[in-house]
Amino acid sequence: MAKEKTTKKRKKKKRKFRKLFVSTAAFITAAVIVVFCIYYVYYETDYFNVAEVKIDGNFIYDNQFILDNSEIETGEKIFSVNRNDVKEKLQQHVYVEQARVVYELPNKIYIHITERQEKYQIYYNNNYVVTDKNGIVLKTDTINNELKTIESLTDVLYNVGEEIKFAGIDNVKSIFEAIDYIESEFDSETVTTFWVNKNNSVLLKTKYGTFIKMMLSEDVKYQSVFAMKIINERLNNNLPVFNGLIDFTKGDSPVYVEDFNMEEYNE
């Protein structure tokens, strides 16, 4: 009896092994067939050849410029297009802030462009340097009345495609953040002129004729609101504000200077 049971167990194991072997062989065969079919369709047919490149988001550079600089060729295999390479090539151009490249299977590629927008013009040494909202230099040009003008009283260094630099300013972005806050907090006519100053400071002229000197390293919001409060209090008390200077750079409290002369200002 013991021998019969042992024999039956061996037969069952053999049958299970044969089934497992057959199943494994069938799976491998199916996988080989699938791989062969994919290979054949991809390499031996036109099914995955790039038939179209769809482009949107671009206004400064036209579609042909984007297509030429992407170096994508119609008819090449879609997966031979390296999306990161295309992205890097397009983002080398100064007005392209971001490029997104997507496969649209089986045979299309989609490119979405986010462009830098001209926002500021920095006046320095009789030149206008045009930047975007983050201070990236886009070009040098003549005056554009549609852009916010910022005059510099300190040396300016710039290269197209890079962030503009001001001597004595630690954080360039703080300049544009200050301007954005002031323009959002008050009406667009409140501040008529912006100057970038030395020693991490900016100088503003208001529509009242009052100048405000602020530290970029301090709370610009606080300085802006406090300065407008001083101007309003002086106006309410019939005190002169024209050609006055509210200076936040002299200590913990602002200093008010009457008869400020911008022409003699050399700091």
Side-chain angles (χ1 to χ4, degrees):
M1 289 291 292
K3 289 184 179 180
E4 288 181 6
K5 287 183 179 180
T6 302
T7 303
K8 288 181 180 180
K9 285 181 180 180
R10 287 176 180 173
K11 289 182 179 179
K12 286 181 179 180
K13 286 183 180 180
K14 288 182 180 179
R15 283 197 293 266
K16 286 182 180 180
F17 178 77
R18 290 194 194 98
K19 288 181 180 179
L20 180 61
F21 178 79
V22 171
S23 298
T24 302
F27 174 80
I28 293 172
T29 302
V32 169
I33 292 171
V34 169
V35 169
F36 175 80
C37 290
I38 292 173
Y39 177 91
Y40 179 83
V41 171
Y42 185 76
Y43 288 101
E44 303 299 331
T45 72
D46 296 336
Y47 191 67
F48 286 97
N49 290 4
V50 176
E52 181 184 2
V53 179
K54 298 190 288 186
I55 303 167
D56 77 356
N58 55 309
F59 300 95
I60 295 169
Y61 300 123
D62 62 27
N63 283 6
Q64 192 59 51
F65 179 91
I66 298 297
L67 182 59
D68 290 345
N69 284 275
S70 72
E71 298 183 11
I72 299 172
E73 298 290 340
T74 301
E76 68 176 310
K77 295 300 179 183
I78 191 167
F79 292 121
S80 69
V81 176
N82 188 310
R83 292 179 295 175
N84 287 331
D85 285 350
V86 173
K87 178 179 178 178
E88 290 177 4
K89 288 171 186 174
L90 294 176
Q91 289 179 180
Q92 289 177 356
H93 299 281
V94 65
Y95 280 92
V96 178
E97 182 175 8
Q98 189 68 246
R100 179 169 171 259
V101 184
V102 178
Y103 300 133
E104 289 192 353
L105 297 177
N107 60 0
K108 295 181 178 63
I109 292 177
Y110 169 70
I111 299 175
H112 177 74
I113 301 295
T114 300
E115 292 181 332
R116 292 189 173 95
Q117 303 298 315
E118 297 176 2
K119 186 168 184 180
Y120 301 108
Q121 54 187 357
I122 315 300
Y123 182 68
Y124 171 72
N125 199 23
N126 296 320
N127 289 319
Y128 287 91
V129 181
V130 178
T131 76
D132 71 354
K133 63 182 180 180
N134 297 315
I136 301 299
V137 177
L138 303 178
K139 63 180 180 180
T140 57
D141 205 352
T142 55
I143 188 170
N144 183 341
N145 292 325
E146 294 182 359
L147 300 178
K148 172 65 68 176
T149 300
I150 304 170
E151 299 185 32
S152 181
L153 301 176
T154 185
D155 292 337
V156 176
L157 299 174
Y158 61 89
N159 289 304
V160 173
E162 298 178 4
E163 183 181 66
I164 194 167
K165 304 294 183 184
F166 298 87
I169 302 296
D170 294 335
N171 181 4
V172 171
K173 287 184 174 61
S174 64
I175 298 170
F176 307 112
E177 289 170 356
I179 294 172
D180 285 346
Y181 173 76
I182 291 166
E183 291 192 333
S184 65
E185 186 70 16
F186 310 106
D187 66 73
S188 60
E189 304 300 323
T190 298
V191 175
T192 60
T193 314
F194 292 86
W195 291 273
V196 177
N197 206 2
K198 299 177 183 177
N199 304 320
N200 283 319
S201 65
V202 291
L203 184 68
L204 321 175
K205 184 178 181 181
T206 70
K207 64 182 179 182
Y208 308 103
T210 312
F211 294 83
I212 307 170
K213 187 177 180 183
M214 298 191 299
M215 292 298 297
L216 292 171
S217 56
E218 303 297 332
D219 188 341
V220 170
K221 297 179 181 180
Y222 166 78
Q223 294 174 85
S224 303
V225 172
F226 198 170
M228 294 309 301
K229 181 180 179 181
I230 292 172
I231 292 172
N232 289 326
E233 285 180 351
R234 291 183 68 87
L235 289 172
N236 292 335
N237 289 288
N238 295 318
L239 295 173
V241 295
F242 188 77
N243 280 345
L245 169 66
I246 303 170
D247 192 346
F248 287 89
T249 68
K250 300 300 183 182
D252 294 335
S253 300
V255 175
Y256 190 89
V257 179
E258 294 185 352
D259 299 323
F260 174 73
N261 190 333
M262 183 63 200
E263 293 182 358
E264 296 178 358
Y265 183 71
N266 58 6
E267 291 187 327

